[in-house]
Amino acid sequence: MFKAFVQYPHAGRLVSPAQTAADGLNLLGYEVVWFKSFEEINVTRDTLVVGFIDTYRNAIASLGIIPPENIDIPVELEPFTGRRIWETTLAYARNESHWPVFIKPLKHHKEFPGKIINRFRDLLTSSTLPQDFPVLASEVVKFVSEYRCFMWKHEIMSVRHYKGNPLVFPDPKRIQTMADAWITAPVACCIDVGVIDSGETLLVEVNDGHSMGDYGLRSLVYARMLEARWCELTGASPIP
């Protein structure tokens, strides 16, 4: 496996995380080929694909492999959420008697960004979707800071701040306990955690390693994680 297809961002500019991936893959010795749409590339098991979630899932499916399901809250990590999380529909979220409530798409994450619903205008981004559109809902908690914990081969590789107060750090022991508990984790993935106003570290969500943002992770580590997840799904061999 010596060629990697890397998808341009929507704006057509080389920005993180696409550029981070390309830089790391170049360092590993890959021939990096940029592309805009899935139709432009000829995917094989030995051609690593880096792109948006839908593009990646199309690439995996084109190989006759069932794409991985979206991961939000693994069963093993439910005890670390500190709040009620359940599956429902937009009809529930559109009922003001249920506000405030946090919602995000259950399966099609690109349909609208996850957000807290406090008023009618918060529903504008999902207004074109039907009442029975499935969402993941959760009770609202106040996160003071949020961090992404990159995990490769069940080991925490890096912890990166991405929201809130960067000086409010999560509990390292709590993060390690989550990592140890997630026994079904992909070879490359990340655990997003947040510190709430009481000081407790809670799970925000997890993300599969195939299309996760880099959040400032070193390009070589990021590339190795993307490579590892592709190989796990396709059976390909990593570059030596």
Side-chain angles (χ1 to χ4, degrees):
M1 188 164 65
F2 299 100
K3 179 182 287 187
F5 294 112
V6 179
Q7 188 172 21
Y8 284 104
H10 287 308
R13 293 177 295 177
L14 308 185
V15 295
S16 173
Q19 188 63 58
T20 302
D23 290 345
L25 292 167
N26 275 318
L27 288 173
L28 290 176
Y30 281 89
E31 174 194 354
V32 174
V33 178
W34 291 90
F35 72 99
K36 291 183 179 180
S37 64
F38 174 70
E39 292 72 24
E40 298 175 19
I41 60 177
N42 181 26
V43 181
T44 71
R45 290 176 186 266
D46 293 323
T47 54
L48 172 62
V49 175
V50 179
F52 301 115
I53 293 177
D54 283 354
T55 300
Y56 195 94
R57 293 176 68 83
N58 286 335
I60 292 296
S62 72
L63 299 174
I65 301 170
I66 298 175
E69 294 184 1
N70 291 327
I71 310 173
D72 286 298
I73 308 293
V75 173
E76 304 101 310
L77 299 188
E78 288 178 356
F80 301 96
T81 62
R83 61 201 185 279
R84 181 186 171 219
I85 299 176
W86 68 101
E87 297 179 11
T88 185
T89 65
L90 276 176
Y92 177 95
R94 288 167 175 165
N95 186 331
E96 61 184 307
S97 67
H98 299 145
W99 301 343
V101 64
F102 175 86
I103 61 168
K104 64 183 294 185
L106 180 62
K107 296 181 179 179
H108 306 287
H109 287 182
K110 72 169 187 173
E111 295 292 349
F112 66 89
K115 66 186 308 178
I116 297 174
I117 307 301
N118 282 305
R119 55 187 68 87
F120 281 108
R121 70 183 183 188
D122 296 329
L123 292 163
L124 289 177
T125 54
S126 58
S127 60
T128 61
L129 299 171
Q131 288 281 78
D132 60 355
F133 185 86
V135 298
L136 190 69
S138 71
E139 294 177 329
V140 175
V141 294
K142 183 179 180 181
F143 285 109
V144 178
S145 65
E146 296 180 37
Y147 286 77
R148 171 156 292 186
C149 309
F150 291 90
M151 190 162 71
W152 183 19
K153 298 179 180 179
H154 292 275
E155 292 188 14
I156 299 296
M157 303 301 296
S158 183
V159 177
R160 299 280 169 166
H161 172 261
Y162 68 86
K163 188 176 182 181
N165 188 342
L167 298 180
V168 178
F169 300 100
D171 181 352
K173 292 183 179 179
R174 182 79 164 172
I175 294 173
Q176 188 60 60
T177 301
M178 293 183 197
D180 293 341
W182 192 11
I183 58 175
T184 61
V187 65
C189 53
C190 55
I191 300 174
D192 291 350
V193 301
V195 182
I196 60 175
D197 45 6
S198 68
E200 185 179 6
T201 298
L202 301 179
L203 175 70
V204 175
E205 64 180 9
V206 304
N207 287 277
D208 198 317
H210 61 63
S211 299
M212 61 187 179
D214 66 295
Y215 287 30
L217 187 67
R218 288 195 301 121
S219 62
L220 193 60
V221 176
Y222 187 52
R224 276 300 191 192
M225 293 181 72
L226 293 170
E227 177 191 59
R229 185 58 173 138
W230 177 265
C231 291
E232 182 177 47
L233 289 168
T234 66
S237 299
I239 200 167

